[in-house]
Amino acid sequence: MKPRAFDYYAPASLDEALALLARYGARARPLAGGQSLVQLMNMREVSPEIIVDLNRAPELAYVRTAAGGGLVVGAMARLQHLATSAAVRGGNAAVTQAANQVAFPAVRSRGTLGGNVAHAEPGAQLPLVLSVLDAQVTVARQGARRNMLLAAVFGGARVNTLAPEELLVEVWIPPLALAAGYAICEFRRGHSGPPLVTVATILELDDAGAIVTARMGVSGASDVPLRLREEESLLVGQTASEATFASIAEHAAARAQRGDPVLAGVDLRRRAVRALLLRALTDSAARATQAERQEGL
Amino acid sequence: MLAAFSARELPEVLKPLPGTPRAPGSHFVAPTPLAAEVVRFVGEPVAVVVAEDAYAAEDGAEAVVVEYAPLPAVVDVEQDPVTTPVIHDGWASNVADHFVVVAGAGARALERAPVVVEETLAIGRLSAQPMEPRAVAAVYDAAEGRLTVYLATQSVTQAHRGFSEMLGLPLERVRVVVPNIGGAFGVKTRFYGEEVLAAHLAMRLGRPMRWVGDRREEFTVTNQGRAQLHHVRIGLDDDGHILAFVDHFLQDAGAYNITASGPALNAAITAHGPYRIPHLEMACDIVLTNTTPTGPYRGAGRPEGAYVMERMLDRAAEAMGLDRAELRRRNLIRPEELPYDTGMKRQDRAVVFDAGDYPAGFEQVVRSIDYEGFRTRQRAERERGVYLGIGVANCLEMSGIGLGDSARVRLDASGDVVVMTAVSQMGQGHPTAYAQIAAERLGAPIERVRVIEGDSATGVEGIGTFASRSTVAAGNAIALAAQRVRQRLLDAAAQQLEASEDDLEWQGDDIVVRGAPGRRIALRGVVAQAGGESIEEVASGQGTPTFGFQGHGVTVAVDPDLLTVEVRDYVICHDAGTVVNPLLAEGQTIGAAVQGLGNVTSEEMRYDAAGQPLATTLHSYILPSSVDTPEYRLYEQHFPARTNPEGFRGLGEGGTIPSLPALAQAIEDALSPFGVRLNALPLTPQRLSEALQRQAGRGGAA
């Protein structure tokens, strides 16, 4: 469990990092918090020739409140910071909760938002929650930047769609509507085991209890976070009720295609999607009603 | 990289690792340190690479080219004697050993039982995963011809003989030192090939050699545990009294038969439990498969034995419409029946339960877990969609087995005391407990006592730390040796002070006459008179088993969707015998219980049909963490064991033993609305999901 030899660069700025990625392309891998990449390197499942360590480039570690609400987060912002910062909670409390659900404090202290997203682990919390929030990312390469939907980063299990010379540098997270109720529910084995299935839902209700907007998704049911668009449109206009939510959950459960024989097979993941979605929708509706009342005051 | 060797290039050590056949007629078959022609399980070492550091060594290992010609894999322990390929050439089948333990008329007694219940029960395969993997460092002094090995082992004497035998060195030129070990749980009892290779290469290459296993090696090479399949029948009379218990079971030994027979025999003896069983038959086949070898792991067969008995009692109660606790009450051996001769023989010696009050212990558990009030709570909670279940289970923890252990106690003229034993600790706190025993028997201040364990240079005879035997065997030896040292000390002091021995007391550096502070004599002088430089005594503790009661009561909530298990309450009552250190004793019991929780709810070594292990990292093999650990409520009984002078009982494994059936019973009870029967451990969410799917396929309620 020792990695193959690699060349190590610790650029002091983003520009320097992008220059290295441009020069070495697919031979290089950027290193953020290292909580997944280093393990994979130790098991020799991944063996980059060149490591570009981003930890000496302080300009990537920031959290700002965006104009018009929401958050702008640098790729090297640590998960523990996201989990504990009042500014993050004020900008989007769903991010606070999702960050808190990642592993445990020691991992969160090193792990970063950019690394967590780019690693594209199936079942992971933040990639799902940020997808459902319609977050966007800025991807940089030497001399160029582009923006894209965060959901488009995921190309498969532990595969992202970025070009080798590109780096995910920033995440823009829109604010939650004041009246929105969100919920994040997950299934994992043991306290610190990897998340197997995570479900995230955001609902807005009108005064009569009818659903105005619905956003939801599930990770761990397939190789990439799955946005449940069909279920979303089925929900809009309906009255929030257990029966409605149960039928939506049943509908979504059939989408679980991923499974492994030890931790959770397809059947167990379907059970998890069904149960978690029902719980998340119920919680979201309750919170949305609460938020509605608070707004009314 | 400095050097690399295949099996062919190391002919000197290409012989089977040492061990003892269990019985005449059994096939003891041990691997060679490297596989020469046939690789029999994933993880079996095929080459050794020597380098300056672990990085270069792994590069070298990666560069090794092995040409494999695939052979059919045998992974199932239930094998067709005709069509299953044999794993070792020349064998008629993969059955390595067979034994039967009988009491009374055995299986024939079933014919007379009005009620007979039959079931197949399984206990899945586990990996121990101590925090520190196996490790060895060897230094050879060519000028002196002496080999020193630093080794993480539970048996310093067995390793000492092992190195001597494998390397052709006389015992006096080999020294084995056991430093602090980061956990062992039974899997470091065995002597492994890497240990021989490190020592051999230290000699051959003329430089110190170290091997430290990594997590993947710990998952594939190190012994695994459990892996038993039981076909059981229990016969009862119309009042629910057990008439006969008959169990024909298979122990999956993995690819070699090295250490599997011990746990299998422990399972056979432990199944009996604290119950009156006039007729019993435990028949076992030790069967080989193309998997990592199995051997002792916390409980070493005892949890499996308790599992089959207790689960059969659950099934019998159900069949007879009796309450599960009530059926147990009717069969518990009463205090006045002790000592109780079971009629069983273990290695030709009668198995006799020594002392205790089993019904009192069981009632403590039943009362503390609120067994009577539970059904009301269970119904109320189910209305709210919460699935509660309760389990109660018992065992007798067989401890202190194996031949004896010795101890040497030395009192120096300076007043310092040294205690030496051949057992070794891997976190239990032996140095504290053994210093307490010696200090108390000597009347010495505890801070003067130093304990030396796990060093073959002490020359102390013994067999090591496993089977909850250390304090029973070595602890008695220490007490006896310390008493003899004290006797010699007092004899001398009494003479010099012209006082009665009973009035003497050790105070600081002096022996004083109690109540007469002026009458004192320097310890140094007394020791000089009694023994010269020091007073030294060696004594032996016997290996006579003790059987201590342990009962568990547990309530759980099972998530009916995610199938995760949350322990709501956990009560343990056990007979701790004479306790040396209450805190250490409690730690042993709780730690063992947590491992039982992992056994049932989260851990599983699963293999696919080709013999590939499906869990080789801690991402896929889920160990319980401190956060998953419930608050255990402990009650202790203190019936001194009658089989050793100090009344000690082993405590290392009792916490695991009844936890398997208690938890399984509680989980099954919680899921009873779904009509699912849970016979095979573990009960991970995935396994529960499979059971519910099978049940649904049968048209059950789920």
Side-chain angles (χ1 to χ4, degrees), chain A residues 1-4 39 42-44 187-191 194 261-265 267-268 271-272 275-276 279, chain B residues 55 58-59 62 214 216 559-564 602 606 614 619-620 622 627-628 684-686 689 692-693:
Chain A
M1 296 216 168
K2 302 288 181 214
R4 295 191 187 93
Q39 285 187 33
N42 286 345
M43 291 190 273
R44 300 193 174 212
F187 169 47
R188 60 161 118 175
R189 293 275 315 279
H191 175 72
V262 176
L263 291 177
D267 179 70
L268 180 55
R271 298 178 74 96
L276 296 176
R279 286 173 205 183
Chain B
Y55 295 85
E58 287 197 33
D59 289 345
E62 207 170 37
D214 65 22
R216 196 177 319 195
D559 185 316
D561 302 306
L562 305 178
L563 305 175
T564 48
S602 73
R606 218 164 160 168
L614 297 178
H619 284 298
S620 45
I622 310 292
V627 183
D628 305 308
T684 60
Q686 175 56 24
S689 154
L692 286 166
Q693 258 182 303

